[in-house]
Amino acid sequence: MQIPCVFCETKHIREISGVRLWGQETICLTCPESGLELGFIGRAEDVEALAESLDTGLETLMDELVYDEYFNNPRVMHQVMQCLQEIADNGGLYCQCGNTRIEVDVFLDRLELHCKECDSINIVYAETEEDLKVIQQVDTIELAQHGFKCLDSFSNTPKLTKKARRRRNKQS
């Protein structure tokens, strides 16, 4: 079985016997590098109960990651993740398709928000003070249905535009 890992940004291979796979015991899938729980296999009721009992917030993920060594700017990344968690806790993270269960992939310089229902992606950069200021001003993040958006200091600054030239009316 191949298991995608948010910590290693790769897939781990794990062999599970058919007897164990179809047995009564719930199987915990973990990253061999970090020990991070990646998922569970078992009866739906058991897996749901186990998943609900876990704290799945971004702050917990930050605590489990050795983020001082991992991110380009650990302080900014941590604060961006806290802002994103607050937005999500207040119901401000959702997709236009109606899905409110948005997945988060963590990278060195950014967070990628992904809607599994319509494959929408929104990138939140977390590298500079300007990136942090942008997300601190946001109350909601709405993923565009079947679309792509970006939230960073470059795409969210006022664009410079030329003033329109006045046309003089020619009087004949």
Side-chain angles (χ1 to χ4, degrees):
M1 172 176 294
Q2 291 185 12
I3 307 158
C5 180
V6 66
F7 184 78
C8 299
E9 296 182 19
T10 186
K11 292 181 182 175
H12 298 297
I13 308 279
R14 181 153 177 210
E15 289 186 28
I16 301 172
S17 71
V19 171
R20 187 154 180 239
L21 183 65
W22 299 111
Q24 296 296 317
E25 181 184 333
T26 301
I27 302 168
C28 180
L29 306 171
T30 59
C31 168
E33 300 295 319
S34 67
L36 183 69
E37 292 176 339
L38 303 174
F40 302 96
I41 299 175
R43 291 186 9 199
E45 302 85 31
D46 296 340
V47 170
E48 286 174 9
L50 188 55
E52 286 178 16
S53 71
L54 296 174
D55 180 6
T56 57
L58 290 174
E59 192 140 342
T60 302
L61 179 60
M62 284 298 297
D63 292 341
E64 292 176 359
L65 295 174
V66 184
Y67 61 87
D68 284 339
E69 300 169 8
Y70 184 73
F71 299 112
N72 289 351
N73 190 333
R75 187 187 63 75
V76 169
M77 178 60 81
H78 183 70
Q79 289 182 331
V80 167
M81 288 182 114
Q82 285 179 325
C83 288
L84 185 61
Q85 182 68 51
E86 188 175 317
I87 291 167
D89 289 347
N90 292 327
L93 180 60
Y94 55 91
C95 183
Q96 288 175 344
C97 75
N99 184 17
T100 58
R101 297 189 57 126
I102 306 301
E103 295 188 3
V104 180
D105 293 322
V106 181
F107 296 92
L108 299 174
D109 61 341
R110 69 192 182 280
L111 304 173
E112 289 189 7
L113 311 179
H114 181 236
C115 173
K116 285 280 195 182
E117 299 294 319
C118 72
D119 281 332
S120 174
I121 293 178
N122 191 322
I123 297 176
V124 178
Y125 283 94
E127 213 172 4
T128 66
E129 290 297 323
E130 290 78 21
D131 293 335
L132 177 58
K133 287 177 186 173
V134 168
I135 197 164
Q136 287 173 332
Q137 297 172 13
V138 172
D139 293 322
T140 61
I141 298 176
E142 179 183 70
L143 281 71
Q145 188 170 1
H146 304 292
F148 175 84
K149 284 186 182 177
C150 210
L151 184 65
D152 69 350
S153 58
F154 293 115
S155 63
N156 291 285
T157 54
K159 305 230 184 316
L160 298 176
T161 57
K162 289 184 179 180
K163 289 184 178 180
R165 267 190 166 170
R166 282 191 191 174
R167 291 188 172 192
R168 293 187 186 180
N169 289 337
K170 290 186 180 180
Q171 295 182 2
S172 316

